[in-house]
Amino acid sequence: MEFSIKSGSPEKQRSACVVVGVFEPRKLTLPAELIDNAARGYLSDIIRRGDMEGKLGSTLLLHNVPGTLCDRVLLVGLGKEKEFREKEYCSALRAAVKTLNETGSFDGVVFLTETGVKRRDVGWRIRQAALVAQETVYRFDRFKSKKDEVRRPLRKLTFAVERRNELAPAEEALAQGLAIADGVSFAKNLGNLPGNVCTPTYLAEQALEMSKDLGLECQVLERADLETLGMGALLSVARGSHQPPKFIVLQHKGADASQKPVVLVGKGITFDTGGISLKPAPEMDEMKYDMCGAASVLGTIRAAAMMKLPINLVALVPASENMPGGAASKPGDIVTSLSGQTVEILNTDAEGRLVLCDALTYAERFEPEVVVDVATLTGACVIALGHVASGLFANNETLARELLTSGEEAFDRAWHMPLWDDYQEQLKSPFADMANIGGRAAGSITAACFLSRFTKKYDWAHLDIAGTAWKSGADKGATGRPVPLLAHFLLKRAGKID
Ligand code: BES
Ligand code: MN
Ligand code: ZN
């Protein structure tokens, strides 16, 4: 889809459809009023008759509105003006794009982007509009023989801004929004692919291809390399699988080499059966999503490269399957991690922390400014926070706050969880330096505590996205989270937004 920015009067737009908002109850927004004036009260008549109350997300498509140059006018309900916030703004836009896409409008000029949202500037509104639009038209039908064809799909969207002096910042925000949306789609596609397609090898190929497209540096470490390095924890997870593990290193060098990089680490378990500690059958298919941390890290570096952010960024992906093959690790096995610390594997299903700990140690060699890992790490995090917020853990308060704020602003929220030493005891092992599980209590915290033992040398945060990376049920699918949060975090670090 093509996108552009414009400032102008709604009644003068030559387009297949002009989209304007109506507040509840029955209050026209300014652009709607302009059309109403040109149409000599046509809209207010309709509203008076009760055909459009302004309920959030409701739509009414009008043809041949007098006094306008467009084929159609789409009225979109915004809900009550007093309650109009980020969420309402996004819902209204979603309804608009969905309707445009389903009704055969080839292009549309959207004036909803002129509606103010408390505490958010025009840049935010445009970035978010681009994201919501791409999100609404997203489909994953690669494996459907018959695609659900949209009759005449939307090709071009124009977002309106009120003043001419908003054009430049809006253009920049649009480019950012589209880059982030691209990163989100990229992450969703990888997540939605089945485990027999999206293997560690496939992930590595995708990273290589992306590095060529966007001028990134890419290196893929093979099993032999991991053995030489001594990544015993990662290797122990890969033992049960016929698919070889891969360790992906992607670099975006957007700043002077003297500038320390942000390192992102993503859990890349392309399928998690649980290993010898086998998972139960129901919903096990969803464990194809166990590489969503990796997907989001790749999606984020993609967005950052597309935005040409003047920062140095490294993405690390330890990729493996977790399978119960004959050579698989067994409960009680002890392995030596890259850090030299030994781990007693009491449960082979706690494999995420095993692949991550070696990647976190590997991160040291980049002398990072900060390290953020992203992982579908624990079912316990879903119990704690549901599907609304990602779990955030950090060994540095400032970094934690920075990420929390980014989540709020990008509308991709996280919640700060404790990482107190008191929880570390649960990881005691009689035979090794630590066990890989800490019992049922505080499962997401003890998992983070495990990781914290490998992140002593830098500022570090961990995002547990087990509840936010995908949706189950009727609209099953990857969400692309937390690409918006991470991209926002990087935009701020790069000084592109306040
Ligand atoms: N990938 C899972 C975590 C998960 C489970 C995410 C369900 C989303 C939904 C992870 O590898 C895992 O199996 N964790 C175990 C840890 C336990 C054995 C300590 C879990 O959460 O049950
Ligand atoms: Mn597992
Ligand atoms: Zn897992």
Side-chain angles (χ1 to χ4, degrees):
M1 194 155 42
E2 220 182 291
F3 289 85
S4 65
I5 302 286
K6 186 179 244 177
S7 110
S9 317
E11 73 280 11
K12 297 202 183 114
Q13 303 303 318
R14 287 180 194 283
S15 138
C17 191
V18 167
V19 183
V20 293
V22 179
F23 280 117
E24 191 181 359
R26 308 178 184 187
K27 181 172 179 270
L28 298 178
T29 53
L30 193 66
E33 246 174 52
L34 290 174
I35 290 189
D36 194 42
N37 292 343
R40 298 175 183 279
Y42 186 81
L43 296 193
S44 19
D45 266 358
I46 284 172
I47 281 178
R48 205 170 310 116
R49 287 192 210 113
D51 288 86
M52 165 51 83
E53 301 278 355
K55 280 220 177 341
L56 181 62
S58 61
T59 55
L60 181 65
L61 190 65
L62 306 170
H63 294 265
N64 307 318
V65 175
T68 62
L69 300 178
C70 55
D71 303 339
R72 311 167 181 79
V73 170
L74 177 65
L75 302 183
V76 177
L78 306 180
K80 299 205 175 70
E81 192 165 9
K82 266 201 210 135
E83 293 167 8
F84 192 74
R85 298 277 153 73
E86 289 95 338
K87 191 170 165 200
E88 287 71 24
Y89 176 80
C90 293
S91 304
L93 270 165
R94 201 169 300 124
V97 175
K98 191 161 181 282
T99 309
L100 285 175
N101 209 27
E102 284 168 359
T103 51
S105 293
F106 181 78
D107 70 326
V109 186
V110 178
F111 282 81
L112 304 181
T113 43
E114 291 192 1
T115 314
V117 180
K118 213 172 165 182
R119 291 180 303 158
R120 303 291 178 232
D121 60 8
V122 66
W124 184 91
R125 296 202 302 267
I126 297 296
R127 257 193 320 273
Q128 219 56 32
L131 266 163
V132 170
Q134 292 291 50
E135 179 117 353
T136 309
V137 300
Y138 177 85
R139 284 203 168 75
F140 186 78
D141 51 14
R142 207 180 294 183
F143 299 97
K144 292 270 192 197
S145 315
K146 262 208 200 109
K147 324 265 182 219
D148 298 342
E149 277 302 341
V150 179
R151 190 163 36 108
R152 197 148 59 108
L154 186 58
R155 289 280 172 72
K156 186 165 192 294
L157 262 185
T158 302
F159 298 131
V161 294
E162 220 173 342
R163 289 183 298 275
R164 304 205 116 263
N165 66 2
E166 290 176 329
L167 283 170
E171 291 282 0
E172 194 178 2
L174 176 62
Q176 293 167 346
L178 290 176
I180 300 171
D182 205 81
V184 168
S185 301
F186 186 83
K188 283 186 183 182
N189 284 339
L190 283 180
N192 286 330
L193 283 171
N196 61 331
V197 174
C198 184
T199 57
T201 304
Y202 183 88
L203 277 183
E205 285 166 1
Q206 289 300 300
L208 261 169
E209 194 179 315
M210 173 162 78
S211 72
K212 285 184 195 133
D213 292 349
L214 294 171
L216 302 169
E217 274 175 36
C218 184
Q219 193 189 359
V220 177
L221 305 184
E222 307 291 335
R223 195 199 300 268
D225 303 316
L226 308 180
E227 279 162 1
T228 310
L229 279 162
M231 290 198 178
L234 168 55
L235 286 165
S236 78
V237 175
R239 289 179 60 84
S241 170
H242 290 297
Q243 295 292 339
K246 303 278 168 176
F247 190 94
I248 303 164
V249 184
L250 256 184
Q251 289 183 266
H252 162 70
K253 295 185 171 168
D256 193 83
S258 64
Q259 210 165 310
K260 292 178 164 185
V262 172
V263 178
L264 302 175
V265 180
K267 172 178 172 181
I269 298 295
T270 57
F271 198 86
D272 181 10
T273 66
I276 296 300
S277 312
L278 193 65
K279 286 181 181 297
E283 277 127 52
M284 206 210 270
D285 67 291
E286 296 193 359
M287 282 300 117
K288 72 174 184 179
Y289 290 116
D290 214 18
M291 36 53 70
C292 281
S296 73
V297 158
L298 295 177
T300 301
I301 199 168
R302 183 178 180 86
M306 288 177 82
M307 294 189 277
K308 299 196 165 60
L309 291 188
I311 52 167
N312 293 322
L313 186 61
V314 181
L316 301 179
V317 172
S320 172
E321 269 188 343
N322 186 21
M323 297 286 285
S329 296
K330 307 165 291 297
D333 283 4
I334 295 177
V335 298
T336 304
S337 67
L338 178 60
S339 73
Q341 299 177 92
T342 57
V343 181
E344 185 184 16
I345 302 174
L346 289 180
N347 190 320
T348 63
D349 198 11
E351 85 297 342
R353 58 199 83 183
L354 294 174
V355 303
L356 287 170
C357 73
D358 281 346
L360 288 167
T361 303
Y362 192 81
E364 286 171 11
R365 68 177 57 203
F366 298 97
E367 294 175 31
E369 180 71 27
V370 298
V371 177
V372 182
D373 81 69
V374 190
T376 49
L377 201 60
T378 65
C381 191
V382 191
I383 304 297
L385 299 173
H387 305 288
V388 176
S390 305
L392 170 71
F393 304 80
N395 65 7
N396 177 292
E397 283 295 313
T398 315
L399 174 60
R401 218 162 314 125
E402 207 181 328
L403 286 161
L404 285 175
T405 308
S406 296
E408 290 276 349
E409 290 172 358
F411 208 54
D412 177 10
R413 286 169 299 182
W415 189 254
H416 198 178
M417 305 278 281
L419 195 59
W420 297 319
D421 273 346
D422 311 53
Y423 294 102
Q424 292 282 356
E425 291 178 18
Q426 288 174 238
L427 293 173
K428 273 191 187 146
S429 155
F431 306 116
D433 297 340
M434 69 196 88
N436 78 328
I437 54 168
R440 273 173 55 82
S444 70
I445 305 178
T446 52
C449 282
F450 181 95
L451 299 179
S452 77
R453 295 173 178 225
F454 301 84
T455 62
K456 301 275 187 212
K457 299 200 176 133
Y458 46 70
D459 290 341
W460 157 77
H462 156 61
L463 285 163
D464 193 332
I465 58 165
T468 52
W470 75 92
K471 289 182 185 160
S472 313
D475 53 347
K476 186 184 277 190
T479 61
R481 290 177 70 181
V483 172
L485 181 160
L486 292 170
H488 200 89
F489 169 77
L490 297 175
L491 271 171
K492 285 187 127 177
R493 287 225 148 208
K496 293 286 183 190
I497 50 179
D498 331 307

